[in-house]
Amino acid sequence: MDFTQFMIFIEIMRHRNLTVAATHLGLTQSAVSHALKRLRDTFDDELFIRQRTGVEPTALARELEPQIIDVVERGRKVLTSNEDFMPSETRRRFSIGGLDYEQSLLMPSLIKTLEVEAPNIQIAFKPLARKPAIAALVDGSIDLSLGVHFREPPDVTRETLLEETFVAVVRKEHPIARKKLTLKRFVELDHLEISITGSLSGRADRALSDCEQERRVVASVPLFFSALATVQRSDLVAVVPSRLAKRYTRAFDLKVKDLPVDVGNVEISMIQHRRSHSDRALAWLRAKIREAAADVER
């Protein structure tokens, strides 16, 4: 069977006349008659009984009508899902890989947009970064990955959303809070490292080694918000992204300090698998994420 037979069935039910149905479908009456014969063979029923003015559907035809209409409508939605994507009507669910940095900076603006333009879309963030995020993107577990990406396989494409710098944060009542953070003071402090792998060293250590200096890291946590909460109630210092510090230091009652060493910058990017390039719904979502990133810059 094919959709043409279903369309012919629906038109015959609507008009109760084979000639009129053929005209509406742009088919010959012979083609409609052949399709009706195949339908009769498939369902082992006359389906339509000839009358003086046309045809009359059988009981089985009346029973089949809503089911066949449903099949045709579902098929039409599948075939036109990309062409007719309407944000206000879609009920898509998207999975995005990213950590608390991306979630906290981009999600508020993104959700605000979705509430107005696409209220039925659902976003599920998964705590994935780097290699696990790439693996999830390749196997289809997530639609997009946001964050720092160093090496992507050839079937993954990338675009930069933000370029991020770093600062140090301490609690407001910290002894160093009102002083300049010199290199000497920086290395004398106890440090908190942020590492998703549990490492006790990072970009600050690499920068210090170039100056023939080293620091003491007493602990590491995997998330930036864990670091901000820890620094708030200790004498530790943490190196965190500048935008995150700017947005959340007041909430955590912290003091931002310029770093005495250059720890470099990072690019926050958005990556997707090439197989999804024709997905217009995902293209729309990427555009909204770009807008959310632009809002962070303001």
Side-chain angles (χ1 to χ4, degrees):
M1 296 192 68
D2 58 45
F3 267 50
T4 302
Q5 294 175 41
F6 283 162
M7 294 297 295
I8 289 171
F9 176 92
I10 291 171
E11 288 298 315
I12 295 174
M13 285 294 296
R14 179 177 296 145
H15 302 290
R16 302 293 203 269
N17 187 294
L18 270 64
T19 303
V20 175
T23 301
H24 274 260
L25 290 169
L27 300 173
T28 64
Q29 188 167 350
S30 175
V32 170
S33 297
H34 283 299
L36 180 55
K37 181 180 184 305
R38 292 196 296 273
L39 285 165
R40 285 168 169 162
D41 292 341
T42 298
F43 292 107
D44 193 22
D45 187 88
E46 279 292 300
L47 296 178
F48 299 98
I49 300 171
R50 292 187 179 275
Q51 304 288 333
R52 287 179 56 189
T53 57
V55 294
E56 183 68 22
T58 66
L60 179 61
R62 294 177 188 276
E63 182 183 336
L64 289 172
E65 183 183 21
Q67 299 175 60
I68 289 177
I69 289 175
D70 181 60
V71 168
V72 170
E73 287 303 312
R74 287 173 182 269
R76 182 180 288 116
K77 286 180 180 179
V78 169
L79 293 172
T80 63
S81 60
N82 272 343
E83 296 176 5
D84 300 331
F85 171 68
M86 298 290 289
S88 61
E89 298 177 8
T90 186
R91 293 184 176 273
R92 282 281 297 270
R93 179 183 185 274
F94 296 98
S95 292
I96 302 175
L99 300 180
D100 59 341
Y101 173 90
E102 296 79 30
Q103 295 168 29
S104 62
L105 289 185
L106 301 176
M107 277 292 280
S109 178
L110 180 60
I111 291 300
K112 185 177 180 180
T113 298
L114 295 183
E115 286 176 342
V116 175
E117 299 184 27
N120 296 315
I121 278 182
Q122 293 180 303
I123 302 290
F125 253 99
K126 295 185 178 182
L128 297 170
R130 302 185 184 181
K131 287 184 179 180
I134 296 291
L137 199 66
V138 170
D139 69 22
S141 301
I142 58 175
D143 300 295
L144 297 170
S145 176
L146 309 178
V148 179
H149 304 100
F150 293 114
R151 295 183 181 87
E152 305 90 36
D155 51 356
V156 168
T157 59
R158 163 185 174 176
E159 62 177 293
T160 300
L161 296 174
L162 299 165
E163 187 169 321
E164 185 60 280
T165 58
F166 291 86
V167 294
V169 290
V170 295
R171 64 182 178 88
K172 271 195 174 179
E173 302 304 319
H174 194 287
I176 202 71
R178 297 182 182 276
K179 299 177 183 178
K180 183 178 180 179
L181 187 58
T182 63
L183 180 59
K184 182 177 184 299
R185 288 168 178 161
F186 185 68
V187 297
E188 287 174 349
L189 294 172
D190 287 338
H191 289 250
L192 177 69
E193 177 65 18
I194 299 93
S195 170
I196 58 174
T197 63
S199 174
L200 290 170
S201 66
R203 61 178 52 251
D205 298 282
R206 292 189 290 273
L208 288 171
S209 67
D210 293 337
C211 306
E212 299 182 346
Q213 298 285 334
E214 60 181 35
R215 61 176 183 160
R216 179 173 181 265
V217 177
V218 300
S220 73
V221 291
L223 302 174
F224 289 110
F225 274 76
S226 301
L228 297 181
T230 302
V231 169
Q232 181 187 36
R233 305 194 63 177
S234 71
D235 278 341
L236 299 182
V237 58
V239 176
V240 301
S242 301
R243 290 184 179 86
L244 195 74
K246 179 181 178 181
R247 180 166 293 191
Y248 292 104
T249 46
R250 178 177 295 181
F252 285 91
D253 204 26
L254 302 176
K255 186 76 173 177
V256 177
K257 310 293 290 184
D258 291 332
L259 289 170
V261 289
D262 182 10
V263 300
N265 303 340
V266 294
E267 286 187 355
I268 308 301
S269 58
M270 173 168 57
I271 63 172
Q272 71 172 105
H273 199 279
R274 291 185 186 277
R275 64 171 170 264
S276 62
H277 278 198
S278 61
D279 187 332
R280 294 187 61 173
L282 192 58
W284 178 87
L285 180 63
R286 294 200 314 272
K288 297 306 168 183
I289 291 173
R290 289 187 208 104
E291 291 177 9
D295 283 344
V296 174
E297 297 280 29
R298 297 190 183 104

PDB file of all heavy atoms in Angstrom, residues 82-100:
ATOM      1  N   ASN A  82      10.423  19.670   8.707  1.00  0.00           N
ATOM      2  CA  ASN A  82      11.463  20.690   8.571  1.00  0.00           C
ATOM      3  C   ASN A  82      10.949  21.916   7.831  1.00  0.00           C
ATOM      4  O   ASN A  82      11.234  23.045   8.179  1.00  0.00           O
ATOM      5  CB  ASN A  82      12.672  20.115   7.829  1.00  0.00           C
ATOM      6  CG  ASN A  82      13.631  19.454   8.799  1.00  0.00           C
ATOM      7  OD1 ASN A  82      13.577  19.689   9.995  1.00  0.00           O
ATOM      8  ND2 ASN A  82      14.493  18.626   8.277  1.00  0.00           N
ATOM      9  N   GLU A  83      10.145  21.700   6.784  1.00  0.00           N
ATOM     10  CA  GLU A  83       9.685  22.813   5.978  1.00  0.00           C
ATOM     11  C   GLU A  83       8.736  23.712   6.760  1.00  0.00           C
ATOM     12  O   GLU A  83       8.731  24.921   6.589  1.00  0.00           O
ATOM     13  CB  GLU A  83       8.985  22.287   4.717  1.00  0.00           C
ATOM     14  CG  GLU A  83       9.921  21.514   3.787  1.00  0.00           C
ATOM     15  CD  GLU A  83       9.166  20.946   2.614  1.00  0.00           C
ATOM     16  OE1 GLU A  83       7.958  21.233   2.478  1.00  0.00           O
ATOM     17  OE2 GLU A  83       9.769  20.208   1.824  1.00  0.00           O
ATOM     18  N   ASP A  84       7.896  23.126   7.596  1.00  0.00           N
ATOM     19  CA  ASP A  84       6.845  23.877   8.269  1.00  0.00           C
ATOM     20  C   ASP A  84       7.106  24.035   9.752  1.00  0.00           C
ATOM     21  O   ASP A  84       6.173  24.115  10.541  1.00  0.00           O
ATOM     22  CB  ASP A  84       5.489  23.190   8.055  1.00  0.00           C
ATOM     23  CG  ASP A  84       5.117  23.081   6.580  1.00  0.00           C
ATOM     24  OD1 ASP A  84       5.555  23.950   5.812  1.00  0.00           O
ATOM     25  OD2 ASP A  84       4.415  22.135   6.215  1.00  0.00           O
ATOM     26  N   PHE A  85       8.370  24.073  10.164  1.00  0.00           N
ATOM     27  CA  PHE A  85       8.671  24.208  11.578  1.00  0.00           C
ATOM     28  C   PHE A  85       8.114  25.518  12.124  1.00  0.00           C
ATOM     29  O   PHE A  85       8.396  26.601  11.612  1.00  0.00           O
ATOM     30  CB  PHE A  85      10.184  24.151  11.815  1.00  0.00           C
ATOM     31  CG  PHE A  85      10.560  24.511  13.223  1.00  0.00           C
ATOM     32  CD1 PHE A  85      10.217  23.682  14.279  1.00  0.00           C
ATOM     33  CD2 PHE A  85      11.236  25.687  13.497  1.00  0.00           C
ATOM     34  CE1 PHE A  85      10.547  24.013  15.580  1.00  0.00           C
ATOM     35  CE2 PHE A  85      11.576  26.030  14.797  1.00  0.00           C
ATOM     36  CZ  PHE A  85      11.227  25.183  15.835  1.00  0.00           C
ATOM     37  N   MET A  86       7.289  25.404  13.143  1.00  0.00           N
ATOM     38  CA  MET A  86       6.681  26.566  13.785  1.00  0.00           C
ATOM     39  C   MET A  86       7.050  26.536  15.265  1.00  0.00           C
ATOM     40  O   MET A  86       6.554  25.689  16.007  1.00  0.00           O
ATOM     41  CB  MET A  86       5.164  26.532  13.620  1.00  0.00           C
ATOM     42  CG  MET A  86       4.696  26.599  12.170  1.00  0.00           C
ATOM     43  SD  MET A  86       5.003  28.220  11.443  1.00  0.00           S
ATOM     44  CE  MET A  86       3.786  29.185  12.316  1.00  0.00           C
ATOM     45  N   PRO A  87       7.918  27.427  15.737  1.00  0.00           N
ATOM     46  CA  PRO A  87       8.340  27.418  17.141  1.00  0.00           C
ATOM     47  C   PRO A  87       7.171  27.459  18.117  1.00  0.00           C
ATOM     48  O   PRO A  87       7.206  26.802  19.156  1.00  0.00           O
ATOM     49  CB  PRO A  87       9.204  28.684  17.254  1.00  0.00           C
ATOM     50  CG  PRO A  87       9.677  28.936  15.870  1.00  0.00           C
ATOM     51  CD  PRO A  87       8.570  28.504  14.966  1.00  0.00           C
ATOM     52  N   SER A  88       6.135  28.209  17.785  1.00  0.00           N
ATOM     53  CA  SER A  88       5.010  28.362  18.708  1.00  0.00           C
ATOM     54  C   SER A  88       4.179  27.091  18.843  1.00  0.00           C
ATOM     55  O   SER A  88       3.403  26.953  19.788  1.00  0.00           O
ATOM     56  CB  SER A  88       4.110  29.512  18.244  1.00  0.00           C
ATOM     57  OG  SER A  88       3.596  29.244  16.952  1.00  0.00           O
ATOM     58  N   GLU A  89       4.343  26.150  17.905  1.00  0.00           N
ATOM     59  CA  GLU A  89       3.516  24.940  17.917  1.00  0.00           C
ATOM     60  C   GLU A  89       4.298  23.673  18.247  1.00  0.00           C
ATOM     61  O   GLU A  89       3.709  22.681  18.674  1.00  0.00           O
ATOM     62  CB  GLU A  89       2.834  24.766  16.553  1.00  0.00           C
ATOM     63  CG  GLU A  89       1.895  25.908  16.193  1.00  0.00           C
ATOM     64  CD  GLU A  89       1.302  25.744  14.804  1.00  0.00           C
ATOM     65  OE1 GLU A  89       1.506  24.665  14.191  1.00  0.00           O
ATOM     66  OE2 GLU A  89       0.632  26.682  14.333  1.00  0.00           O
ATOM     67  N   THR A  90       5.599  23.684  18.042  1.00  0.00           N
ATOM     68  CA  THR A  90       6.367  22.455  18.212  1.00  0.00           C
ATOM     69  C   THR A  90       6.415  21.998  19.666  1.00  0.00           C
ATOM     70  O   THR A  90       6.374  22.811  20.591  1.00  0.00           O
ATOM     71  CB  THR A  90       7.806  22.616  17.692  1.00  0.00           C
ATOM     72  OG1 THR A  90       8.471  21.347  17.743  1.00  0.00           O
ATOM     73  CG2 THR A  90       8.584  23.613  18.534  1.00  0.00           C
ATOM     74  N   ARG A  91       6.516  20.689  19.841  1.00  0.00           N
ATOM     75  CA  ARG A  91       6.643  20.096  21.174  1.00  0.00           C
ATOM     76  C   ARG A  91       7.954  19.315  21.292  1.00  0.00           C
ATOM     77  O   ARG A  91       8.040  18.326  22.005  1.00  0.00           O
ATOM     78  CB  ARG A  91       5.452  19.172  21.469  1.00  0.00           C
ATOM     79  CG  ARG A  91       4.140  19.931  21.594  1.00  0.00           C
ATOM     80  CD  ARG A  91       2.982  19.018  21.975  1.00  0.00           C
ATOM     81  NE  ARG A  91       1.774  19.790  22.183  1.00  0.00           N
ATOM     82  CZ  ARG A  91       1.424  20.361  23.322  1.00  0.00           C
ATOM     83  NH1 ARG A  91       2.215  20.233  24.384  1.00  0.00           N
ATOM     84  NH2 ARG A  91       0.325  21.051  23.439  1.00  0.00           N
ATOM     85  N   ARG A  92       8.962  19.792  20.589  1.00  0.00           N
ATOM     86  CA  ARG A  92      10.254  19.114  20.591  1.00  0.00           C
ATOM     87  C   ARG A  92      10.907  19.155  21.969  1.00  0.00           C
ATOM     88  O   ARG A  92      10.716  20.088  22.752  1.00  0.00           O
ATOM     89  CB  ARG A  92      11.195  19.772  19.579  1.00  0.00           C
ATOM     90  CG  ARG A  92      10.937  19.386  18.133  1.00  0.00           C
ATOM     91  CD  ARG A  92      11.512  18.032  17.771  1.00  0.00           C
ATOM     92  NE  ARG A  92      12.954  17.986  17.873  1.00  0.00           N
ATOM     93  CZ  ARG A  92      13.784  18.286  16.873  1.00  0.00           C
ATOM     94  NH1 ARG A  92      13.320  18.695  15.717  1.00  0.00           N
ATOM     95  NH2 ARG A  92      15.101  18.185  17.037  1.00  0.00           N
ATOM     96  N   ARG A  93      11.697  18.135  22.237  1.00  0.00           N
ATOM     97  CA  ARG A  93      12.513  18.088  23.447  1.00  0.00           C
ATOM     98  C   ARG A  93      13.967  18.018  23.004  1.00  0.00           C
ATOM     99  O   ARG A  93      14.342  17.138  22.233  1.00  0.00           O
ATOM    100  CB  ARG A  93      12.165  16.869  24.294  1.00  0.00           C
ATOM    101  CG  ARG A  93      12.994  16.734  25.572  1.00  0.00           C
ATOM    102  CD  ARG A  93      12.604  15.444  26.301  1.00  0.00           C
ATOM    103  NE  ARG A  93      13.262  15.319  27.584  1.00  0.00           N
ATOM    104  CZ  ARG A  93      14.474  14.806  27.766  1.00  0.00           C
ATOM    105  NH1 ARG A  93      15.161  14.360  26.718  1.00  0.00           N
ATOM    106  NH2 ARG A  93      14.999  14.720  28.976  1.00  0.00           N
ATOM    107  N   PHE A  94      14.791  18.953  23.480  1.00  0.00           N
ATOM    108  CA  PHE A  94      16.194  19.005  23.108  1.00  0.00           C
ATOM    109  C   PHE A  94      17.073  18.672  24.305  1.00  0.00           C
ATOM    110  O   PHE A  94      16.793  19.105  25.428  1.00  0.00           O
ATOM    111  CB  PHE A  94      16.568  20.399  22.593  1.00  0.00           C
ATOM    112  CG  PHE A  94      15.865  20.795  21.332  1.00  0.00           C
ATOM    113  CD1 PHE A  94      14.742  21.603  21.374  1.00  0.00           C
ATOM    114  CD2 PHE A  94      16.321  20.357  20.097  1.00  0.00           C
ATOM    115  CE1 PHE A  94      14.087  21.971  20.218  1.00  0.00           C
ATOM    116  CE2 PHE A  94      15.675  20.718  18.928  1.00  0.00           C
ATOM    117  CZ  PHE A  94      14.550  21.530  18.987  1.00  0.00           C
ATOM    118  N   SER A  95      18.134  17.915  24.059  1.00  0.00           N
ATOM    119  CA  SER A  95      19.115  17.609  25.097  1.00  0.00           C
ATOM    120  C   SER A  95      20.417  18.339  24.773  1.00  0.00           C
ATOM    121  O   SER A  95      20.902  18.264  23.641  1.00  0.00           O
ATOM    122  CB  SER A  95      19.380  16.096  25.168  1.00  0.00           C
ATOM    123  OG  SER A  95      18.235  15.413  25.636  1.00  0.00           O
ATOM    124  N   ILE A  96      20.948  19.044  25.767  1.00  0.00           N
ATOM    125  CA  ILE A  96      22.149  19.851  25.570  1.00  0.00           C
ATOM    126  C   ILE A  96      23.182  19.485  26.625  1.00  0.00           C
ATOM    127  O   ILE A  96      22.865  19.395  27.816  1.00  0.00           O
ATOM    128  CB  ILE A  96      21.833  21.351  25.674  1.00  0.00           C
ATOM    129  CG1 ILE A  96      20.765  21.737  24.640  1.00  0.00           C
ATOM    130  CG2 ILE A  96      23.091  22.186  25.482  1.00  0.00           C
ATOM    131  CD1 ILE A  96      20.315  23.179  24.751  1.00  0.00           C
ATOM    132  N   GLY A  97      24.409  19.252  26.194  1.00  0.00           N
ATOM    133  CA  GLY A  97      25.499  19.003  27.124  1.00  0.00           C
ATOM    134  C   GLY A  97      26.142  20.311  27.549  1.00  0.00           C
ATOM    135  O   GLY A  97      26.351  21.203  26.725  1.00  0.00           O
ATOM    136  N   GLY A  98      26.436  20.443  28.835  1.00  0.00           N
ATOM    137  CA  GLY A  98      27.071  21.665  29.325  1.00  0.00           C
ATOM    138  C   GLY A  98      27.137  21.656  30.839  1.00  0.00           C
ATOM    139  O   GLY A  98      26.373  20.930  31.491  1.00  0.00           O
ATOM    140  N   LEU A  99      28.051  22.437  31.393  1.00  0.00           N
ATOM    141  CA  LEU A  99      28.216  22.489  32.848  1.00  0.00           C
ATOM    142  C   LEU A  99      27.555  23.741  33.417  1.00  0.00           C
ATOM    143  O   LEU A  99      26.845  24.451  32.714  1.00  0.00           O
ATOM    144  CB  LEU A  99      29.702  22.421  33.188  1.00  0.00           C
ATOM    145  CG  LEU A  99      30.413  21.149  32.706  1.00  0.00           C
ATOM    146  CD1 LEU A  99      31.884  21.178  33.087  1.00  0.00           C
ATOM    147  CD2 LEU A  99      29.740  19.888  33.243  1.00  0.00           C
ATOM    148  N   ASP A 100      27.801  24.008  34.687  1.00  0.00           N
ATOM    149  CA  ASP A 100      27.068  25.097  35.336  1.00  0.00           C
ATOM    150  C   ASP A 100      27.403  26.469  34.762  1.00  0.00           C
ATOM    151  O   ASP A 100      26.584  27.381  34.837  1.00  0.00           O
ATOM    152  CB  ASP A 100      27.263  25.064  36.856  1.00  0.00           C
ATOM    153  CG  ASP A 100      28.728  25.171  37.272  1.00  0.00           C
ATOM    154  OD1 ASP A 100      29.614  24.921  36.428  1.00  0.00           O
ATOM    155  OD2 ASP A 100      28.977  25.480  38.455  1.00  0.00           O
TER     156      ASP A 100
END
